[in-house]
C-alpha cells in the first residue's frame, strides 16, 4: 500500500510513500521501548540540550519545512513559516521549563505520619500520537516536546495526507541528538492504530482529530486500560455584545474564522451577535471576509489557500447548501470557484435555524454562521448549545460582563476581546465532545507521567532530593 502527498492547490500528486509493513511497525515499537529505557536515565539538562538542537534545526530549515507543509496541505506559506517558528519556541519552552514542571513536590510530612513525603513525576514509556493534518508540525511538536522532555518516547501516526511532514518529524529528534527510536513515524493507515495501541510496549495514546477518531481510539485504549488524551473538534462561539469595539471584533472575527484556510479546531465558527450591534457588525464582518484574497498559497499576499482535501471541500459545500435549501441567507461567498484545486471562498451565512446542519455541526472551512440574540442570557445559552466545548470568545468592554462570560461559557478556554490561540504557557484542551486532558503548560507535560507518591517513615533511606529522570 502507498500513501500520497497531493498538492491541494492543483490536485496533483507530488510524492508517494510505502506504508510500513507489520515487521517494520514491530521493530519501531521495539526501538521506542529501548529508547525509553535509555532516555529515562538521562538528565533534564541532556534532554534540554537535544530539544534546543531540535529548535535550532527547525529554525535553520524553516523555508524548506514551510514549503513542504504548504505543498501537501495548502496553508499559506506565511502561515507555514509562522507555524515552524511557533514549534521552535515550543521546543525551547519545554527545554527551559520541564525540570521545574516535574520537580518533586513536597507534602506536609507530619500530616501523613511520615518523616518526608512528596510527589514525584516519572515517565511511563512509549506513547502513540495520532495526529491531524491541519497544523501538521505544531500538533505533533506540542505533544513531542513535553513527552520527550519528561523522558517518554513517541510513535507518530500522522494523517495520511501529510506523509512528507510525518517523515521529517520522524527524523527531527534523532538528528537533534535524542537516542534512535525516541520519536519515530509510523506510515500506517488508521486501521492499524488498534494493533499499535494494543501492543503492551505502548503505554498510552494521544489523539488530535475528529470526534469519530477520538471515540475509536478511546474505545481501544479503554479495553487495554491505557490512558488517553483527546483533542477533538470544536464549534467555538464568538459572542459580540453592545459595548464591544466592533471594528476590532470584525477584524479579529475574520482572522479567527479564516486562519489556516478555515481549518482550525479553535477557529471561531459561530458568530453570536447582540441585536443592538448585529447589523453594524455584520456589515463590517462581511466587508472583511469579502476582501480576503483567495489563491495560490505559495504566493505572497494570499490570505486563504485551498482546503486540504477534496472531501473536506465537499463537506463544507454540502453544509452550506443544506442551510441555503432550508432558508438561510448567504451574505458573501458560498460558491466554489471554477478552477483547479480545492478552493472555497470566505463565506458568511445568516438566518440559521436548528434544522440546519450548520447549527450543530462543526464547519471545517472558511464559513461563518451568523446568529442574532437579544440578551446576555440568550447569547450564553446559544454559545453553550453545542456538543463541543473547545475554545470560546466574547467581546465586551463591560468588566462585569467579562467576568460572567469567563464563568458561564462552557469550554476549555475563554478569550475575552481577543482570538483563541494556543500558547505553550497556557493549558489547551476541551470539555464535552471536544475531548479531555490537557496539552501544553505544566498540565500537558504531566499527562503522561506516573504521578508517584513517595512516603518515607522513620529510618527509611533517602529517596534523593531531585528527580533525575
Ligand atoms: P480525523 O479524520 O479524525 O484524522 C485525525 C487523525 O486520526 C489522522 O491521523 C487519522 O488518520 C486518524 N484517524 C482517523 N480515523 C481514525 C480511527 N477510526 N482510528 C484511529 N485513527 C483515526 O480528523 P480530520 O477530519 O482530518 O481533522 C479535522 C478534525 O480534527 C476536526 O474535527 C478538528 O476540529 C479536529 N482537530 C482538533 C484539534 C484540537 O486540538 N482539539 C486540533 C486540530 C484538529 P488518517 O488520516 O489515516 O485517516
Amino acid at each position: 500500500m502507498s500513501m500520497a502527498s497531493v498538492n491541494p492547490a492543483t490536485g496533483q500528486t507530488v510524492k508517494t510513500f510505502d506504508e510500513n509493513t507489520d515487521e517494520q511497525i514491530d521493530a519501531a515499537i521495539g526501538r521506542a521501548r529501548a529508547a525509553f529505557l535509555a532516555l529515562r536515565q538521562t538528565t533534564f539538562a541532556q534532554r534540554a540540550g537535544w530539544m534546543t538542537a531540535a529548535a535550532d534545526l527547525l529554525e535553520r530549515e524553516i523555508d524548506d519545512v514551510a514549503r513542504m507543509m504548504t505543498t501537501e496541505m495548502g496553508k499559506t506559506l506565511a502561515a507555514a513559516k509562522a507555524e515552524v517558528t511557533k514549534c521552535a519556541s515550543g521546543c525551547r519552552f519545554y527545554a527551559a521549563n520541564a525540570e521545574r514542571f516535574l520537580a518533586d513536590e513536597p507534602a506536609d510530612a507530619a500530616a501523613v505520619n511520615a518523616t518526608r513525603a512528596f510527589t514525584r513525576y516519572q515517565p511511563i514509556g512509549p506513547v502513540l500520537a495520532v495526529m491531524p493534518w491541519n497544523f501538521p508540525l505544531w500538533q505533533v511538536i506540542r505533544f513531542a516536546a513535553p513527552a520527550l522532555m519528561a523522558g517518554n518516547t513517541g510513535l507518530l501516526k500522522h494523517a495520511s495526507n501529510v506523509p512528507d511532514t510525518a517523515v521529517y518529524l520522524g527524523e527531527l529528534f534523532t538528528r537533534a541528538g535524542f537516542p534512535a527510536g525516541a520519536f519515530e513515524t509510523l506510515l500506517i493507515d488508521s486501521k492499524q492504530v488498534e494493533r499499535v495501541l494494543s501492543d503492551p510496549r505502548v503505554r498510552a495514546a494521544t489523539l488530535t482529530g475528529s470526534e469519530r477518531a477520538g471515540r475509536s481510539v478511546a474505545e481501544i485504549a479503554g479495553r487495554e486500560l491505557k490512558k488517553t488524551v483527546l483533542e477533538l473538534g470544536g464549534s467555538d462561539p464568538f459572542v459580540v455584545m453592545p459595548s464591544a469595539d466592533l471594528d476590532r471584533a470584525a477584524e479579529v472575527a475574520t482572522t479567527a474564522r479564516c486562519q489556516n484556510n478555515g481549518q482550525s479546531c479553535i477557529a471561531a465558527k459561530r458568530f453570536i451577535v447582540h441585536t443592538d450591534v448585529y447589523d453594524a457588525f455584520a456589515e463590517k464582518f462581511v466587508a472583511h471576509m469579502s476582501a480576503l484574497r483567495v489563491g495560490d498559497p505559495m504566493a505572497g499576499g494570499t490570505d486563504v489557500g485551498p482546503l486540504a482535501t477534496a472531501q473536506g471541500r465537499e463537506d463544507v459545500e454540502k453544509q452550506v447548501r443544506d442551510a441555503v435549501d432550508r432558508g438561510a441567507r448567504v451574505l458573501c461567498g458560498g460558491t466554489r470557484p471554477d478552477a483547479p484545486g480545492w478552493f472555497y471562498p470566505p463565506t458568511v451565512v445568516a438566518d440559521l435555524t436548528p434544522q440546519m446542519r450548520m447549527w450543530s455541526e462543526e464547519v471545517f472551512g472558511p464559513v461563518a454562521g451568523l446568529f442574532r440574540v437579544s440578551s446576555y442570557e440568550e447569547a450564553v445559552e446559544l454559545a453553550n448549545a453545542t456538543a463541543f466545548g473547545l475554545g470560546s470568545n466574547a467581546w465586551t468592554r463591560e468588566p462585569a460582563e467579562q467576568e460572567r462570560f469567563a464563568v458561564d461559557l462552557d469550554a476549555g478556554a475563554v478569550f475575552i476581546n481577543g482570538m483563541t490561540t494556543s500558547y505553550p504557557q497556557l493549558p489547551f484542551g476541551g470539555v464535552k465532545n471536544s475531548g479531555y486532558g490537557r496539552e501544553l503548560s505544566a498540565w500537558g507535560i504531566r499527562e503522561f507521567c506516573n504521578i508517584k507518591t513517595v512516603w518515607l517513615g522513620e529510618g527509611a533511606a533517602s529517596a534523593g532530593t531531585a528527580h533525575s529522570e
Side-chain angles (χ1 to χ4, degrees):
M1 286 272 283
S2 71
M3 240 171 226
S5 178
V6 180
N7 186 341
T10 60
Q12 306 290 317
T13 299
V14 182
K15 262 188 191 178
T16 55
F17 298 77
D18 288 333
E19 278 185 27
N20 290 161
T21 60
D22 286 353
E23 292 71 31
Q24 286 171 319
I25 295 169
D26 203 53
I29 298 174
R31 285 193 297 275
R33 170 76 188 155
F36 166 64
L37 298 178
L39 201 60
R40 67 188 306 196
Q41 303 299 336
T42 59
T43 63
F44 279 106
Q46 277 172 306
R47 300 198 291 274
W50 297 329
M51 192 53 70
T52 304
D56 293 342
L57 281 172
L58 286 167
E59 281 164 355
R60 249 197 331 269
E61 295 166 3
I62 185 168
D63 289 335
D64 289 343
V65 178
R67 290 185 79 80
M68 175 175 69
M69 286 195 282
T70 298
T71 303
E72 69 181 354
M73 58 67 65
K75 67 173 63 210
T76 65
L77 193 59
K81 285 186 183 171
E83 184 171 336
V84 181
T85 301
K86 182 170 179 168
C87 288
S89 43
C91 291
R92 292 190 198 288
F93 175 78
Y94 278 106
N97 293 293
E99 186 164 13
R100 180 168 63 84
F101 291 155
L102 300 182
D104 289 347
E105 282 177 15
D108 178 352
V112 295
N113 302 317
T115 52
R116 195 173 150 231
F118 58 92
T119 306
R120 175 163 289 179
Y121 297 95
Q122 288 183 293
I124 57 170
V127 180
L128 170 67
V130 182
M131 291 290 152
W133 45 264
N134 64 338
F135 291 92
L137 206 65
W138 169 244
Q139 306 288 10
V140 176
I141 293 288
R142 82 178 180 188
F143 158 72
L148 290 168
M149 283 307 301
N152 289 313
T153 56
L155 286 160
L156 171 65
K157 182 269 176 278
H158 217 326
S160 303
N161 58 324
V162 288
D164 217 3
T165 308
V167 169
Y168 176 82
L169 280 160
E171 294 167 353
L172 176 69
F173 293 102
T174 26
R175 287 172 62 216
F178 279 92
F183 194 86
E184 284 204 25
T185 283
L186 300 172
L187 288 177
I188 57 172
D189 185 74
S190 59
K191 289 188 198 75
Q192 285 162 293
V193 163
E194 178 160 14
R195 184 180 188 285
V196 178
L197 189 47
S198 305
D199 190 298
R201 294 168 292 183
V202 175
R203 299 309 316 151
T206 182
L207 177 138
T208 298
S210 63
E211 214 180 312
R212 191 176 36 81
R215 285 182 195 279
S216 165
V217 165
E219 213 175 294
I220 300 163
R223 264 202 318 272
E224 297 291 331
L225 284 182
K226 290 177 183 174
K227 179 165 182 180
T228 49
V229 166
L230 300 180
E231 298 287 357
L232 309 179
S235 191
D236 288 8
F238 186 106
V239 181
V240 183
M241 295 301 284
S243 67
D245 175 343
L246 291 189
D247 288 323
R248 182 88 191 114
E251 203 179 300
V252 173
T254 306
T255 310
R257 179 56 283 201
C258 295
Q259 60 152 335
N260 212 41
N261 309 341
Q263 304 158 121
S264 168
C265 52
I266 48 167
K269 291 169 185 146
R270 296 175 300 131
F271 296 81
I272 298 167
V273 186
H274 194 282
T275 190
D276 291 356
V277 289
Y278 181 94
D279 292 336
F281 175 82
E283 189 183 329
K284 291 174 197 293
F285 185 36
V286 168
H288 283 298
M289 290 284 279
S290 312
L292 293 176
R293 284 154 299 187
V294 180
D296 177 5
M298 287 289 181
T302 296
D303 299 306
V304 180
L307 298 198
T309 62
Q311 183 63 50
R313 178 173 69 169
E314 208 173 301
D315 291 344
V316 168
E317 258 187 323
K318 281 188 182 153
Q319 287 169 309
V320 173
R321 208 175 307 132
D322 164 78
V324 172
D325 287 349
R326 293 170 194 273
R329 268 185 314 134
V330 170
L331 304 186
C332 66
T335 315
R336 70 149 84 166
D338 185 17
W342 305 316
F343 293 92
Y344 196 82
T347 298
V348 179
V349 184
D351 301 345
L352 291 162
T353 64
Q355 289 70 38
M356 300 170 185
R357 290 178 54 194
M358 274 187 69
W359 183 275
S360 52
E361 293 179 8
E362 175 181 27
V363 184
F364 219 57
V367 178
L370 199 54
F371 302 79
R372 187 194 292 267
V373 290
S374 50
S375 66
Y376 171 88
E377 287 72 22
E378 204 188 329
V380 168
E381 192 182 331
L382 186 54
N384 291 340
T386 164
F388 298 109
L390 193 55
S392 60
N393 302 254
W395 288 74
T396 168
R397 283 187 280 207
E398 298 281 344
E401 219 168 52
Q402 294 173 357
E403 284 294 328
R404 290 181 75 190
F405 275 120
V407 172
D408 293 342
L409 289 174
D410 204 3
V414 177
F415 278 63
I416 309 282
N417 298 339
M419 192 174 98
T420 306
T421 310
S422 64
Y423 295 98
Q425 296 80 0
L426 292 171
F428 184 93
V431 295
K432 303 199 284 186
N433 292 3
S434 292
Y436 49 74
R438 291 292 178 268
E439 293 198 281
L440 300 175
S441 76
W443 294 96
I445 197 169
R446 291 173 183 169
E447 288 282 5
F448 295 114
C449 285
N450 173 9
I451 302 172
K452 185 184 273 179
T453 293
V454 183
W455 185 99
L456 291 94
E458 282 303 333
S462 164
T465 48
H467 165 60
S468 63
E469 286 177 351

